[in-house]
Amino acid sequence: MLSRRVLLAYAAPALPMAALYFPVYVFLAPFYAGTFGLSVTVIGAVLIAIRLMDAVTDPLMGWLSDRTRWRFGRRKTWMALATPVIMVAVIGLLAPPDGVGLGWFTAFLVALTLGWTMFLTPYFAWGAEMSGNYGERGKITVWRESVGLIGTIIAAVIYGVLGERLGLSVIAAAVAIGLPVAAAIALRGVPETRALTTATPQLSGILSALRDEPIFRRLLIAYFINGAANALPATLFLFFVDHRLGATSETGGLLLIVYFGAAVLAAPFWSWVAGRFQKHKAWCVAMVYAAAVFLCALTLGEGDVLLFTVIAGLSGLALGADLSLPTAMQADVVDLDTQRSGQHRTGAFFAVWSVATKASVALTGGLALIILGAFGFDANAQNSEMTLWVLALLYAGAPVVLKLWAIALMWGFPLDRARQEEIRRGLEAGPA
């Protein structure tokens, strides 16, 4: 069993990465729309275009990570190379000089996205390889995502206290300083495990896995759909708080602290659940609960900040399940693929996972911004009642429908604890 010291060392980079990831997908669109005058439609289109780029770069990164044979490590090498790229890109994107436009926004977002790909694809693959135990894999992801939630809260606090422009600049500086420190802790403190097979992974293999493995497709589709359900309120959060509830963006930052703080408080519970119950059933129960709570947000209007605070806290309790349980199940699917293909393709599988993660956020968020723009939404002006209802439906109505769809896909998921343990025993025993 992995010690807490190893778990914490592995989870360390999640803190600065989450402190970066969260502002990019929650604060960035309002910032560039309000401060630099970019239209929400254009911002949405850029987000979608960059996700199309990810469809190529993420699988390529996963393939390279699987094939890397450098002495420093298959996963560690790419994380080390990615760190300075992210440091430069975050400063450019979150702390831009006055007067920048679409070109600056797009260039630094592309650079940051490439850095993310180089860092996170090997990082998640590394976590999947740290243990072959069904329950312990859930604990690894809970530790990583819980530390990430702390980073998210820190970013929200900085934003809420310092305001938009100064807050984003301080977040950028904190990430640029904290990421190399956290990466060094992980790279020095956590060993890489050897691959269970020495067969060389082929780039085309992940495409055949998507085609031939229904369990992988089913989990990936459900994960994408639920990710889309979470992406809509994340992208539209500040717009909803500002224009639907009539509160300030600083108040929005404080509400986010309530949401993510509740997620951190619930983390020990999800760690316990991952070790004792079927992960797919636990995830479904969490999604049912989140949908029921979040549906209440549709009833809110101007001035209902206190009620929204309660909703934010209650819904945040389920966030840890969304962040940790599906990723732990993905590690189980990798074992199944290794058994069937004879290749160790963890990086390739988590590259596709990364595409789904980022695509669910950017495509759904981008489409939501484009739809808002089509209904005449203006981030710097009063909006009609119809436009505000469209905002509310995108923020609170559509996510409920999407979560119910994901639940329908996952309730009867066939890769349970007993089957995974049987697969793992066969892999560790080696060829007969």
Side-chain angles (χ1 to χ4, degrees):
M1 300 295 286
L2 297 172
S3 69
R4 290 185 178 180
R5 181 190 62 79
V6 171
L7 289 169
L8 186 59
Y10 169 71
L15 192 152
M17 290 300 288
L20 166 59
Y21 188 86
F22 173 71
V24 168
Y25 284 110
V26 176
F27 300 147
L28 204 63
F31 175 51
Y32 275 86
T35 303
F36 300 107
L38 299 185
S39 77
V40 293
T41 302
V42 169
I43 293 173
V46 170
L47 292 173
I48 291 173
I50 290 176
R51 290 296 79 84
L52 295 175
M53 179 187 75
D54 283 334
V56 175
T57 58
D58 282 25
L60 180 61
M61 185 66 252
W63 176 72
L64 288 171
S65 176
D66 284 337
R67 291 174 63 94
T68 297
R69 296 293 183 266
W70 295 328
R71 184 175 180 180
F72 190 54
R74 292 177 299 148
R75 314 305 180 192
K76 294 181 178 183
T77 297
W78 293 104
M79 292 169 60
L81 292 173
T83 297
V85 177
I86 296 171
M87 292 167 62
V88 172
V90 66
I91 294 295
L93 192 63
L94 298 188
D98 292 334
V100 303
L102 179 61
W104 181 283
F105 171 77
T106 303
F108 278 100
L109 187 56
V110 167
L112 181 59
T113 300
L114 291 173
W116 265 338
T117 296
M118 291 172 62
F119 193 99
L120 289 179
T121 300
Y123 182 53
F124 286 129
W126 186 17
E129 294 166 344
M130 286 173 61
S131 174
N133 181 272
Y134 181 88
E136 191 169 44
R137 280 177 166 169
K139 291 182 179 180
I140 291 168
T141 57
V142 169
W143 272 77
R144 182 183 65 217
E145 301 306 330
S146 298
V147 171
L149 286 170
I150 294 172
T152 299
I153 292 173
I154 291 172
V157 169
I158 293 172
Y159 184 91
V161 172
L162 300 182
E164 185 176 69
R165 189 72 185 265
L166 179 58
L168 290 178
S169 296
V170 171
I171 291 170
V175 170
I177 295 169
L179 179 59
V181 174
I185 291 171
L187 298 180
R188 289 178 59 88
V190 184
E192 278 197 32
T193 55
R194 65 176 182 85
L196 292 174
T197 173
T198 58
T200 302
Q202 301 300 314
L203 186 58
S204 60
I206 192 63
L207 300 178
S208 64
L210 274 169
R211 182 189 67 230
D212 300 333
E213 184 46 73
I215 290 178
F216 180 37
R217 288 201 307 273
R218 183 170 172 177
L219 177 60
L220 188 70
I221 291 170
Y223 178 73
F224 177 87
I225 292 169
N226 185 64
N230 293 335
L232 284 168
T235 302
L236 302 175
F237 182 85
L238 290 183
F239 292 140
F240 185 84
V241 170
D242 290 353
H243 296 271
R244 184 67 175 173
L245 302 182
T248 64
S249 58
E250 287 74 18
T251 300
L254 296 175
L255 289 168
L256 287 168
I257 295 170
V258 172
Y259 176 68
F260 290 109
V264 171
L265 290 176
F269 171 75
W270 294 116
S271 180
W272 177 79
V273 166
R276 288 166 176 79
F277 297 97
Q278 302 291 354
K279 287 178 284 197
H280 65 285
K281 290 291 178 66
W283 185 30
C284 287
V285 170
M287 287 191 286
V288 170
Y289 165 79
V293 171
F294 209 68
L295 192 61
C296 299
L298 267 179
T299 66
L300 302 182
E302 187 168 356
D304 290 333
V305 176
L306 182 59
L307 288 174
F308 186 69
T309 303
V310 175
I311 291 171
L314 292 175
S315 59
L317 295 174
L319 180 61
D322 281 338
L323 294 176
S324 59
L325 297 180
T327 307
M329 285 186 278
Q330 166 74 338
D332 300 335
V333 172
V334 172
D335 283 347
L336 177 63
D337 174 72
T338 302
Q339 180 191 59
R340 293 181 175 179
S341 70
Q343 298 183 49
H344 198 72
R345 306 187 291 203
T346 312
F349 269 80
F350 275 89
V352 176
W353 197 252
S354 178
V355 171
T357 301
K358 292 187 285 189
S360 65
V361 173
L363 293 178
T364 310
L367 286 172
L369 293 174
I370 291 171
I371 291 170
L372 276 182
F375 278 87
F377 181 81
D378 188 337
N380 298 304
Q382 293 289 330
N383 292 281
S384 69
E385 188 63 25
M386 176 181 289
T387 301
L388 294 179
W389 264 110
V390 171
L391 172 61
L393 288 171
L394 289 171
Y395 179 84
V400 172
V401 175
L402 291 169
K403 281 186 176 290
L404 293 176
W405 185 7
I407 292 164
L409 285 170
M410 288 306 301
W411 187 257
F413 191 66
L415 186 52
D416 58 9
R417 180 189 297 270
R419 187 174 180 192
Q420 187 274 336
E421 290 176 349
E422 179 184 355
I423 292 169
R424 192 71 192 185
R425 284 193 297 269
L427 289 173
E428 292 176 351

